[in-house]
């Protein structure tokens, strides 16, 4: 499982002209699921995202989590995180999970974040989405449950 996590002042997702999810101060989480992922990958990534200390404390050091600052998450499914461009110029998505599995893990991730007491907005699975954000910092973190990076 992979995530691109961005510290934001605000972010929103629009589908067919309608806002379907948003967050104020918090994290935009672009989430990709791999065919080989298990609940262990899910728990690892969920724990990592919820506990990431990338918000500044009173000494302006990144030392606080999203919960520490009263922020929320906007979670958007993004299978293209498993696009492999090492050969040629057209990405291969062979490692990306199929829709049924990806949606199940996406929903489990959202439910898990909510069970941790976080406010969570979402995109719409398999929809064409317009995602807007104000990245604070900018701060962008790449996470991979297999620890490939």
């Amino acid at each position: 499982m992979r995530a691109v996590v961005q510290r934001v002042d605000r972010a929103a997702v629009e589908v067919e002209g309608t806002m379907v999810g948003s967050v104020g101060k918090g994290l935009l989480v672009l989430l990709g699921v791999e065919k080989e992922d298990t609940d262990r990958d899910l728990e690892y990534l969920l724990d990592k995202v919820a506990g990431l200390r990338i918000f500044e404390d009173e000494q302006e050091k990144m030392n606080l989590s999203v919960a520490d600052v009263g922020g929320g998450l906007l979670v958007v499914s993004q299978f293209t995180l498993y696009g492999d461009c090492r050969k040629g110029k057209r990405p291969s998505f062979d490692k990306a999970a199929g829709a049924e599995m990806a949606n199940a893990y996406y929903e489990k991730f959202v439910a898990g974040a909510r069970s941790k007491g976080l406010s969570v907005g979402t995109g719409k699975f398999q929809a064409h989405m317009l995602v807007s954000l104000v990245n604070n910092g900018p701060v962008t973190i790449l996470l991979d449950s297999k620890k490939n990076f």
Side-chain angles (χ1 to χ4, degrees):
M1 192 169 283
R2 289 184 177 164
V4 173
V5 180
Q6 296 181 299
R7 184 178 75 184
V8 297
D9 282 344
R10 63 185 175 278
V13 178
E14 185 180 308
V15 176
E16 296 178 2
T18 302
M19 186 187 313
V20 296
S22 65
V23 68
K25 183 176 188 171
L27 301 174
L28 171 62
V29 180
L30 304 175
L31 185 69
V33 179
E34 182 183 21
K35 287 179 185 176
E36 305 300 321
D37 282 339
T38 66
D39 286 349
R40 190 174 199 175
D41 295 287
L42 172 73
E43 290 304 320
Y44 172 85
L45 206 62
L46 184 57
D47 229 31
K48 193 64 91 167
V49 168
L52 269 180
R53 295 178 359 186
I54 59 173
F55 290 88
E56 294 177 352
D57 63 17
E58 56 279 348
Q59 283 85 38
E60 297 182 1
K61 293 191 181 198
M62 283 198 261
N63 203 25
L64 302 174
S65 72
V66 66
D68 294 335
V69 299
L73 304 180
L74 177 57
V75 183
V76 177
S77 178
Q78 189 169 352
F79 80 96
T80 60
L81 293 181
Y82 279 98
D84 184 347
C85 298
R86 289 177 289 179
K87 293 181 183 175
K89 297 194 171 138
R90 182 174 182 211
S92 166
F93 299 104
D94 289 344
K95 288 189 173 189
E100 187 176 320
M101 178 183 174
N103 190 39
Y105 274 99
Y106 171 71
E107 294 295 337
K108 285 182 183 180
F109 185 92
V110 169
R114 288 180 175 146
S115 75
K116 291 180 179 290
L118 295 170
S119 170
V120 182
T122 64
K124 184 175 178 189
F125 190 81
Q126 282 193 307
H128 180 86
M129 295 174 272
L130 298 176
V131 180
S132 60
L133 69 138
V134 175
N135 187 321
N136 181 311
V139 174
T140 301
I141 305 292
L142 305 176
L143 299 173
D144 184 293
S145 64
K146 307 285 192 284
K147 302 178 185 170
N148 289 321
F149 47 80

